[in-house]
Amino acid sequence: MFQRVLEVGIACNPTERIVEICAAGGKKVRDDYAHAFSKHFAPDSEPPIEAPRRDVLLDTLRSQPVFSIEPADGIERFEISSLDFFSTGGGFARFEKRGADETTYKFLDRRFGQVSPIKAGAWQIVSATLRIVMAAQNGKRQRTLTVTLRSPITTTIPNKTEADRQLVRSLLERWDLIAPPAPDFELIEDG
């Protein structure tokens, strides 16, 4: 008889009071791990609360986006490097940017014209990858942040450093690629 092995990934940022759990078994299992972690490693702290996920708004990418960039962002340039589509008929297609002189949007228009998945109603954008090229600053060389968004609520933001997470989250909010956070109040209807 073999004993089963269970893998659980826990990442903790004590400064930001963030614990991320990656485990098979669903929300209840992850909540149990979060409470156990809190109980054993931070017994005097308040119990953990779940940070709500936010909807990814991929319809914003139905046409070539013109995203606002401020000098304080430190961004040299950005691009939509891939778009994934799902068809109501069951088809799946991925298009990736290949040439330096052509965007994904220009390729789709040149190759498919009016029947492009970006223009045809039967295709839905289900995933997009953004490449954000950060300008060289403070003696550090240029670097690229790659962010993947998947419908309905998945992003690769948690895989970034805290500073990059804050920057990417603020950019995605400004660019209308993620839904605004839910309000902190409860709605009370007057009878």
Side-chain angles (χ1 to χ4, degrees):
M1 181 194 249
F2 294 98
Q3 186 174 3
R4 298 175 84 190
V5 175
L6 176 69
E7 289 187 60
V8 177
I10 299 177
C12 177
N13 180 338
T15 307
E16 298 294 327
R17 297 178 44 87
I18 296 173
V19 175
E20 295 180 24
I21 309 288
C22 180
K27 179 182 178 339
K28 182 174 178 353
V29 171
R30 289 189 299 275
D31 286 348
D32 290 345
Y33 284 125
H35 286 287
F37 181 86
S38 172
K39 177 181 172 185
H40 293 287
F41 293 100
D44 299 329
S45 67
E46 294 181 30
I49 59 168
E50 182 179 358
R53 292 191 168 214
R54 292 161 61 183
D55 289 340
V56 173
L57 308 174
L58 295 174
D59 278 345
T60 304
L61 302 176
R62 274 274 180 221
S63 60
Q64 175 79 44
V66 181
F67 294 141
S68 64
I69 298 175
E70 299 172 3
D73 296 333
I75 296 173
E76 187 171 302
R77 70 182 184 282
F78 71 89
E79 65 185 28
I80 308 299
S81 62
S82 76
L83 291 169
D84 294 356
F85 297 89
F86 184 75
S87 169
T88 54
F92 176 82
R94 169 178 286 159
F95 296 95
E96 296 181 352
K97 180 185 179 301
R98 292 290 182 205
D101 59 337
E102 186 174 53
T103 68
T104 305
Y105 294 90
K106 286 181 183 176
F107 168 78
L108 288 169
D109 191 49
R110 178 178 57 80
R111 180 64 181 94
F112 299 102
Q114 291 303 312
V115 295
S116 161
I118 206 99
K119 295 178 181 178
W123 291 91
Q124 176 184 0
I125 302 174
V126 293
S127 178
T129 300
L130 287 71
R131 292 173 39 89
I132 304 166
V133 179
M134 304 300 295
Q137 294 179 340
N138 302 330
K140 294 181 181 178
R141 54 191 181 136
Q142 177 187 52
R143 64 190 181 97
T144 302
L145 291 172
T146 303
V147 181
T148 300
L149 308 170
R150 286 187 189 88
S151 181
I153 59 171
T154 305
T155 70
T156 56
I157 294 173
N159 301 341
K160 311 289 178 226
T161 65
E162 184 57 31
D164 288 345
R165 272 197 295 264
Q166 295 298 326
L167 172 66
V168 169
R169 193 173 288 118
S170 70
L171 290 172
L172 295 179
E173 286 174 357
R174 185 185 327 150
W175 295 343
D176 293 324
L177 290 172
I178 58 173
D184 287 340
F185 61 88
E186 292 183 27
L187 180 63
I188 300 173
E189 293 185 23
D190 190 19

